Amino acid sequence: MITSVVPGDPPRPAQVPGPSAAAPAERELPAEQPASGAPDALWWRDAVIYQVYVRSFQDSNGDGIGDLPGVRARLPYLKRLGVDGVWLNPFYPSPQHDHGYDVADYKGVDPMFGTLEDFDLLVEDCRKLGLRLVLDTVPNHCSTEHPWFQDALLAAPGSTERARFHFADGRGTDGELPPNNWRAMFGGPAWSRITEPDGTAGQWYLHMFTPEQPDLNWRNPEVPAEFEKVLRFWLDRGVDGFRIDVAAGLFKHPELPDSPDPEADERTRDSVNPLAWNQPEVHDIWRAWRAICEEYTQLDGRQRLLVGEASVPTPAEQAKYVRADELHQAFFFHLLHAPWDSEHFHQVIDAAVRDITATGSTVTWVLNNHDQVRTTTRFGSPERARAAALLMLALPGAAYLYQGEELGLPEVDDLPDDVITDPIFFRTGSRKGIRDGCRVPLPWSGTEAPFGFSPDDSAPSWLPQPPSFADHTAERALTDHTSPYHLYREALHLRRLLPQLGEGTLRWLETPPNVLAFTRGDGLLVATNFGTTPAPAPVTGTPLLSSAPCPPGTLPPATTAWWIQPRM
Ligand code: GLC
Ligand code: CA
């Protein structure tokens, strides 16, 4: 986590709003020391990575859709915020049925987002600014427009082309019933029937998400071999690692038997069908990918990162994904799923620290991402969201932030039906679990839409921004020292300055009900009041940092504070 001095801002594409959108008066922070935490080679162990949902971050060419030149133009903002790196959601060529998680070409850039040259310039700028760059990779499924699937449609049952996917004959007298009873994550059956080239009703193929996302057959050696090439393609272009989509997927039970409880599979978006997820063979793939990363480390000493989206039932099960020769990290979603409740937070933090650190890895904390209701709305107030963030940033390990959480953005939950794009909406006919509300384009500046998201006179942003976004622009946040932006910035800065905030120990303290308190290393004390009435502060003195003003001796409701404990 050693920070280099920020060189001059990289050149901006002419159309992107100028520095006024992200400039003035920030409170002076003390000069940065060399990083206190992990050595540079092990940078990921306590890194804070900022997730950029490319289509909603910054539009550079006025089509109302964010793009890679837009990301590039805003890197100085991220550098100033103090994150260690950036994870980009998929920008590969895709028909966008699931916003890029339906990949038609794993080695390209969708023209909607720019060009490979734009990508290379982005790598260069990240390098200059000392920001790590992490890409999203989607190995469980591709797009029906991927050439492999198109070839499979034209080929015969039993062909090598079909063997890259899960094609099977249907059940029933005429094959009119799906091969098994599995349900797809986004609603409906997990199988769709194709029409054979001769026009007859044909075989079925498996898709654990939408029908436009056919699952790849990882038992066919061609599949892992192709993905190794994909990884090397991007590693050779200079990326620092990959976020792995659906990392508990890939392998299915070899016989594809019926699920004992398809209803249960349908009731939740979590991966529950034990025949479709979390098969033991997937760990061999992560070992192979880790070995590729190590090869690149051999060349320059820099560790490449693999961070998995492995939704598995327990922290202990998750720990298997981050064994020393597998993934470096796996998102710890149990914190993200925790309600605003001190006991619940206590339990999940405890289990994570115990089970994950036992593997030699560090916990990868996350409260927001592009699939979840934003914390401001989920926890019921901006104060709670701020308190939760400051608590998370005091925990041992790495953390991921999702764009806009530093601006205190709420979920936009009143988007009209006719602008919703999430396939969950179309597959289930319900707004339950839909994800558009956390994907509304960021407000950067000004008082009216598009709030600096697009150049003047552009097409409307792909999802409409509500007028209330005027209160959340980056421009406003930068000049208001009480904004969440400044809280995040100061917390990130202190993570660099204080060795206690690295990956070391966490020790719980006795507390009154609804309060959590712990020490980190020597002398740093952290407390959160989850209650609705003020609690006594666990220590006298002014906090080093707090998510809301703390009168002396008091920890107000929905507040987290950090103190340096006076030595006895
Ligand atoms: C992951 C992604 C989500 C996507 C799904 C299918 O859960 O985070 O956005 O829809 O995988 O690829
Ligand atoms: Ca654009």
Side-chain angles (χ1 to χ4, degrees):
M1 261 202 350
I2 292 176
T3 357
S4 49
V5 175
V6 185
D9 290 358
R12 297 163 176 279
Q15 311 92 318
V16 170
S20 66
E26 288 172 24
R27 193 189 314 178
E28 274 309 302
L29 295 171
E32 276 185 13
Q33 311 293 324
S36 54
D40 193 44
L42 301 176
W43 61 275
W44 52 270
R45 296 186 64 85
D46 58 3
V48 177
I49 307 277
Y50 185 100
Q51 179 190 351
V52 168
Y53 196 68
V54 179
R55 66 187 295 122
S56 301
F57 191 63
Q58 173 71 64
D59 169 25
S60 73
N61 63 351
D63 61 358
I65 300 173
D67 45 47
L68 294 182
V71 178
R72 226 182 125 210
R74 293 296 184 187
L75 289 179
Y77 167 84
L78 298 179
K79 183 67 193 176
R80 246 180 247 126
L81 180 60
V83 294
D84 298 295
V86 177
W87 148 35
L88 302 180
N89 284 105
F91 51 74
Y92 316 111
S94 158
Q96 303 286 322
H97 288 290
D98 187 20
H99 290 322
Y101 285 98
D102 47 330
V103 181
D105 171 6
Y106 286 88
K107 298 186 209 150
V109 174
D110 195 297
M112 175 191 293
F113 299 124
T115 61
L116 259 182
E117 197 194 354
D118 293 327
F119 176 79
D120 290 339
L121 292 170
L122 182 65
V123 173
E124 215 176 288
D125 285 355
C126 285
R127 192 58 55 75
K128 279 190 208 143
L129 289 165
L131 290 168
R132 315 283 175 171
L133 184 61
V134 176
L135 301 194
D136 214 314
T137 183
V138 190
N140 180 69
H141 45 264
C142 60
S143 159
T144 44
E145 290 190 14
H146 190 286
W148 273 7
F149 194 78
Q150 290 296 315
D151 290 349
L153 289 178
L154 295 176
S159 59
T160 50
E161 287 82 357
R162 292 218 176 155
R164 294 166 179 152
F165 300 91
H166 298 281
F167 275 88
D169 295 333
R171 299 197 282 199
T173 42
D174 265 327
E176 74 281 9
L177 299 173
N180 72 21
N181 67 357
W182 293 5
R183 308 298 295 173
M185 298 283 283
F186 294 167
W191 295 89
S192 290
R193 195 172 192 185
I194 65 158
T195 304
E196 299 292 349
D198 65 4
T200 56
Q203 286 197 301
W204 297 72
Y205 67 90
L206 179 71
H207 52 81
M208 295 310 297
F209 293 87
T210 70
E212 292 82 11
Q213 294 165 298
D215 280 48
L216 289 157
N217 175 11
W218 278 81
R219 295 184 195 278
N220 178 342
E222 270 193 69
V223 174
E226 178 60 23
F227 270 87
E228 292 200 2
K229 288 189 206 144
V230 171
L231 293 187
R232 289 177 193 281
F233 176 85
W234 295 107
L235 287 166
D236 289 341
R237 298 191 103 87
V239 306
D240 294 287
F242 301 93
R243 176 263 188 192
I244 303 166
D245 192 58
V246 193
L250 281 63
F251 289 84
K252 280 82 195 169
H253 187 291
E255 268 107 54
L256 305 175
D258 273 342
S259 161
D261 191 357
E263 300 300 314
D265 305 343
E266 181 118 47
R267 272 197 300 273
T268 166
R269 271 202 55 231
D270 283 342
S271 323
V272 288
N273 176 351
L275 304 163
W277 309 104
N278 202 22
Q279 302 293 298
E281 296 87 340
V282 77
H283 295 285
D284 296 335
I285 301 300
W286 306 144
R287 287 189 193 101
W289 285 27
R290 178 69 175 249
I292 293 174
C293 290
E294 301 300 336
E295 249 181 61
Y296 280 79
T297 304
Q298 292 296 320
L299 298 176
D300 60 9
R302 227 169 15 105
Q303 286 212 341
R304 308 311 196 270
L305 163 73
L306 297 173
V307 53
E309 183 208 28
S311 294
V312 287
T314 61
E317 201 54 32
Q318 182 171 7
K320 294 186 185 160
Y321 285 78
V322 293
R323 288 177 287 203
D325 58 349
E326 297 198 34
L327 304 180
H328 301 78
Q329 301 179 327
F331 295 120
F332 189 74
F333 289 129
H334 301 271
L335 185 70
L336 184 149
H337 294 308
W340 180 252
D341 172 77
S342 58
E343 204 31 53
H344 208 109
F345 266 65
H346 178 251
Q347 273 171 20
V348 296
I349 293 170
D350 221 32
V353 172
R354 183 191 58 229
D355 294 337
I356 308 294
T357 49
T359 63
S361 180
T362 55
V363 190
T364 305
W365 307 102
V366 54
L367 284 168
N368 287 284
N369 68 29
H370 66 294
D371 293 329
Q372 302 294 334
V373 173
R374 286 186 178 277
T375 39
T376 300
T377 305
R378 201 170 77 225
F379 289 144
S381 76
E383 292 75 22
R384 287 179 178 179
R386 291 168 60 118
L390 199 58
L391 169 59
M392 175 179 81
L393 291 172
L395 295 173
Y400 281 69
L401 308 178
Y402 175 52
Q403 67 179 38
E405 68 170 277
E406 81 285 10
L407 301 175
L409 287 187
E411 184 80 359
V412 181
D413 48 20
D414 57 357
L415 290 167
D417 282 2
D418 61 352
V419 303
I420 301 290
T421 63
D422 192 334
I424 294 179
F425 181 60
F426 303 113
R427 301 276 301 157
T428 62
S430 146
R431 294 175 73 104
K432 188 167 175 283
I434 62 168
R435 300 162 296 169
D436 298 78
C438 66
R439 299 174 176 179
V440 174
L442 287 194
W444 289 99
S445 58
T447 54
E448 277 171 27
F451 300 110
F453 170 68
S454 290
D456 291 342
D457 301 325
S458 295
S461 58
W462 72 276
L463 280 175
Q465 299 158 305
S468 61
F469 268 27
D471 299 334
H472 295 281
T473 62
E475 183 179 44
R476 266 184 84 152
L478 284 163
T479 52
D480 172 4
H481 292 142
T482 66
S483 69
Y485 168 87
H486 284 284
L487 180 70
Y488 278 79
R489 183 167 182 260
E490 291 181 29
L492 296 180
H493 191 76
L494 287 171
R495 280 176 71 100
R496 289 168 191 274
L497 289 179
L498 299 174
Q500 295 96 320
L501 286 166
E503 60 174 277
T505 57
L506 177 153
R507 202 164 56 78
W508 296 104
L509 302 177
E510 288 287 322
T511 49
N514 298 322
V515 175
L516 282 189
F518 53 86
T519 53
R520 294 296 323 281
D522 185 20
L524 186 81
L525 199 149
V526 176
T528 303
N529 182 355
F530 287 79
T532 50
T533 54
V539 63
T540 52
T542 313
L544 191 62
L545 187 61
S546 59
S547 64
C550 287
T554 302
L555 187 60
T559 303
T560 296
W562 297 359
W563 293 265
I564 294 285
Q565 251 179 328
R567 283 184 190 278
M568 295 302 160

